Amino acid sequence: MSTKSKRPRLLYSREALEEAIAHVKAGMPVKTASDKYQIPRTTLHDKITARYADKRPGPETILTTAEENELVQWIDNSSKQGLMVGKQQLVNSVALLVKTLNRENPFSNGRPGRHWYKNFLRRHKDIVSRINENSEFVKTSADTADIRNWFHELSSYLEQKRLLDIPASRIYAAEMCVLFNKNANDTEKIYVQMAGSADGYLVPPMLLFDNNPENFYEYVIQRFHPWLVERKVDFPVVLFVDGKAPYLTLSLSNFCLRNKIQLIGLLPNLSHILQPLNKELFPSIKEAWKNILEFHLQKEATNSLKEYVAPLLKSVLNNLPIDQLLINGFLKSGLHPLTEDALNYDKVSKKIPPKSEIPEFDPYNLNEIFQIEEGEQHVEKCMNVLNHLEQWLSSTKLEIFNEAFDHEKWTGRIEDKSLFYYWRKVKTEVAYLNFEPAKSDTSCETVIVEAGVHSPTNES
């Protein structure tokens, strides 16, 4: 029984194809060009006669040429807004896109893998340098000169968009507030997506029990934008966000563009300095939450987290001067009024910190500490390790570590990676022993906290 041998598939690059076509059009015989560039004569003929003009060599891609080109354009435009699009943001964008389009795909859990990412960059080599620059940029800590330069660029950009002198009612900031909860059986994190304006209005927060990148997109389209429309806020508005957040996707950018919401990314690793909500609002919420949660659990033990989290959060927000906390936050961050001189530059770390900041003790001693049975001796030793470590850290670095505590991965300076994970391990143990848990639950549910939305009393 004879078998028909398969013809070997010729591989060629887009550049080789374009060069071969150019030579044929200049007079080179098709056969000569085919032999020189190892491209089938029929393929050259079809390309020259515009047959299958839009078809790429190689296997079919999941996205169309137009969709991939839109991603490329988005990556390039985002950098002008301070939005650092890297691999994570690109992959999240494609995952959300194929989900929205209900398009069949071979991705695991609907998310592109490293092979897709590698092939995408091979098809669009002009953005490789941009993505690499963004990825490196988010790992660095900006110094005073970088921050002042960012303010100058922001001022120029807003002036170009005619947004430099808009009123405080059209300037917003959004950030995730992470709270800790303990019920009768376990401990977990509670994620509260929040946004507020420079004139003291709090957008209704969204209570979450997981930290999915799609949550912010849903928050903007389901809560933030409808709330602006309901209050008859004039558009366009400015929305300051984390410039390296995983939720920065093409879908989010397109929605904001269509609805006149100007996204502006804050400098990476500086949300403790530039994010208005982190100045006074979040510290006040966390302190009040800790107190009200302890009081509640003393009165009533319950196994159901969802029974009391939303009511307690509502009570916390109702009893805080939200309007003044927001106004002060924008003032201290220099975002309204827009001025670089409002910042406390003593909290800004230098680009190359001295090596002497790294504590000189063996990190592996921590393993021995964790083997001790829980008790006063265990608590005391954990506290001693934490205090010793934090005495060696500068106040600026400690603030950065605290800010990154709830993130799954370290995205700051590579030199600080091991030190951060070591500090967080100690901090987690101490927090757990002192009833400030740091373990996360994977349940997923969204709760809207309708009440607890404060606004200035002199509303006009």
Side-chain angles (χ1 to χ4, degrees), residues 7 24 43 82 169 203 214 242 262 304 369 394 409 419 431 454:
R7 189 176 181 180
V24 171
T43 299
S169 60
V203 181
E214 293 183 20
D242 183 352
Q262 179 65 63
S304 176
I369 294 173
S394 66
K409 294 182 179 180
L419 181 60
H454 287 242

Side-chain angles (χ1 to χ4, degrees), residues 289-305:
W289 171 260
K290 179 181 177 181
N291 294 334
I292 197 172
L293 184 62
E294 289 179 352
F295 180 74
H296 173 81
L297 293 180
Q298 287 175 359
K299 292 198 315 178
E300 178 181 355
T302 177
N303 293 327
S304 176
L305 167 72

Side-chain angles (χ1 to χ4, degrees), residues 404-448:
F405 181 85
D406 302 311
H407 298 172
E408 182 178 353
K409 294 182 179 180
W410 172 251
T411 58
R413 298 172 65 254
I414 191 66
E415 299 94 322
D416 296 332
K417 182 177 180 180
S418 297
L419 181 60
F420 167 73
Y421 284 127
Y422 172 54
W423 169 85
R424 187 169 69 175
K425 187 175 182 180
V426 183
K427 184 81 168 179
T428 300
E429 184 71 2
V430 171
Y432 179 79
L433 294 172
N434 286 279
F435 183 47
E436 293 183 12
K439 295 181 180 180
S440 176
D441 186 69
T442 56
S443 59
C444 177
E445 182 171 332
T446 299
V447 179
I448 302 298

Side-chain angles (χ1 to χ4, degrees), residues 275-441:
Q275 172 55 255
L277 305 190
N278 282 339
K279 288 295 185 179
E280 295 191 4
L281 179 62
F282 284 3
S284 299
I285 290 176
K286 291 178 179 180
E287 181 64 25
W289 171 260
K290 179 181 177 181
N291 294 334
I292 197 172
L293 184 62
E294 289 179 352
F295 180 74
H296 173 81
L297 293 180
Q298 287 175 359
K299 292 198 315 178
E300 178 181 355
T302 177
N303 293 327
S304 176
L305 167 72
K306 302 178 185 67
E307 284 182 5
Y308 62 85
V309 169
L312 291 185
L313 180 59
K314 171 184 174 181
S315 177
V316 166
L317 296 177
N318 281 337
N319 287 282
L320 288 176
I322 299 292
D323 52 348
Q324 198 57 50
L325 295 175
L326 282 171
I327 293 172
N328 290 345
F330 277 90
L331 181 65
K332 292 181 179 180
S333 64
L335 297 184
H336 184 78
L338 187 64
T339 171
E340 61 192 271
D341 296 326
L343 302 183
N344 180 5
Y345 288 96
D346 292 337
K347 294 185 177 182
V348 179
S349 61
K350 297 180 180 179
K351 281 193 171 180
I352 306 178
K355 293 183 179 180
S356 59
E357 287 190 358
I358 300 177
E360 297 178 358
F361 54 86
D362 184 7
Y364 295 101
N365 288 339
L366 187 61
N367 295 329
E368 298 179 4
I369 294 173
F370 288 159
Q371 292 174 2
I372 301 175
E373 294 183 0
E374 293 190 9
E376 292 184 3
Q377 183 183 11
H378 181 55
V379 176
E380 182 180 356
K381 289 201 172 187
C382 287
M383 286 297 300
N384 287 340
V385 172
L386 182 63
N387 291 335
H388 178 67
L389 177 57
E390 292 189 343
Q391 284 176 2
W392 280 89
L393 295 174
S394 66
S395 58
T396 300
K397 186 170 291 185
L398 186 57
E399 283 192 62
I400 295 174
F401 279 14
N402 278 308
E403 175 192 343
F405 181 85
D406 302 311
H407 298 172
E408 182 178 353
K409 294 182 179 180
W410 172 251
T411 58
R413 298 172 65 254
I414 191 66
E415 299 94 322
D416 296 332
K417 182 177 180 180
S418 297
L419 181 60
F420 167 73
Y421 284 127
Y422 172 54
W423 169 85
R424 187 169 69 175
K425 187 175 182 180
V426 183
K427 184 81 168 179
T428 300
E429 184 71 2
V430 171
Y432 179 79
L433 294 172
N434 286 279
F435 183 47
E436 293 183 12
K439 295 181 180 180
S440 176
D441 186 69

Side-chain angles (χ1 to χ4, degrees), residues 33-278:
S34 174
D35 294 339
K36 180 179 180 180
Y37 294 98
Q38 293 296 295
I39 300 174
R41 279 180 288 174
T42 53
T43 299
L44 280 175
H45 179 269
D46 290 341
K47 293 294 183 181
I48 293 171
T49 58
R51 188 182 183 190
Y52 313 128
D54 294 330
K55 183 176 175 62
R56 292 189 180 104
E60 292 291 337
T61 58
I62 306 303
L63 303 180
T64 65
T65 301
E67 289 166 346
E68 290 203 351
N69 288 339
E70 186 180 10
L71 281 168
V72 171
Q73 189 65 43
W74 166 66
I75 293 171
D76 187 54
N77 291 339
S78 294
S79 61
K80 301 174 184 176
Q81 301 169 239
L83 308 176
M84 301 290 103
V85 177
K87 178 181 178 180
Q88 188 177 29
Q89 290 78 10
L90 177 59
V91 168
N92 289 341
S93 293
V94 176
L96 184 56
L97 183 59
V98 295
K99 178 181 178 181
T100 303
L101 297 173
N102 197 26
R103 182 172 298 169
E104 292 185 6
N105 63 82
F107 303 148
S108 175
N109 298 321
R111 292 177 58 79
R114 60 186 179 90
H115 292 297
W116 178 89
Y117 179 71
K118 182 178 179 181
N119 290 330
F120 179 84
L121 295 186
R122 185 181 293 120
R123 292 191 294 271
H124 305 283
K125 296 180 179 179
D126 51 325
I127 64 165
V128 173
S129 60
R130 170 64 67 186
I131 288 183
N132 289 339
E133 287 174 6
N134 290 345
S135 299
E136 288 300 317
F137 185 73
V138 300
K139 296 178 182 178
T140 62
S141 295
D143 60 12
T144 299
D146 293 327
I147 297 174
R148 291 189 180 277
N149 183 62
W150 179 80
F151 269 94
H152 294 162
E153 291 180 351
L154 173 61
S155 179
S156 298
Y157 182 80
L158 293 178
E159 185 174 17
Q160 176 189 348
K161 296 291 183 178
R162 298 182 179 180
L163 296 171
L164 184 59
D165 298 318
I166 60 175
S169 60
R170 294 166 57 189
I171 302 173
Y172 293 82
E175 182 67 298
M176 184 76 76
C177 182
V178 182
L179 303 174
F180 292 118
N181 176 75
K182 182 180 178 72
N183 58 31
N185 298 322
D186 200 1
T187 58
E188 57 198 312
K189 293 178 183 176
I190 304 164
Y191 302 93
V192 187
Q193 183 60 62
M194 307 186 80
S197 67
D199 63 342
Y201 285 88
L202 183 68
V203 181
M206 179 179 282
L207 184 62
L208 305 158
F209 297 98
D210 80 324
N211 193 11
N212 190 308
E214 293 183 20
N215 290 338
F216 186 73
Y217 175 67
E218 295 173 356
Y219 177 73
V220 171
I221 65 175
Q222 296 176 10
R223 303 300 300 173
F224 181 69
H225 180 256
W227 183 83
L228 295 176
V229 174
E230 181 182 349
R231 291 197 60 245
K232 298 181 180 180
V233 175
D234 292 332
F235 289 90
V237 300
V238 171
L239 178 59
F240 289 101
V241 297
D242 183 352
K244 60 178 178 61
Y247 58 67
L248 300 174
T249 62
L250 173 64
S251 299
L252 174 65
S253 293
N254 283 344
F255 178 85
C256 290
L257 182 62
R258 290 193 304 269
N259 292 279
K260 298 182 179 180
I261 300 172
Q262 179 65 63
L263 291 174
I264 299 292
L266 300 173
L267 276 174
N269 308 315
L270 286 175
S271 65
H272 61 293
I273 294 176
L274 295 176
Q275 172 55 255
L277 305 190
N278 282 339

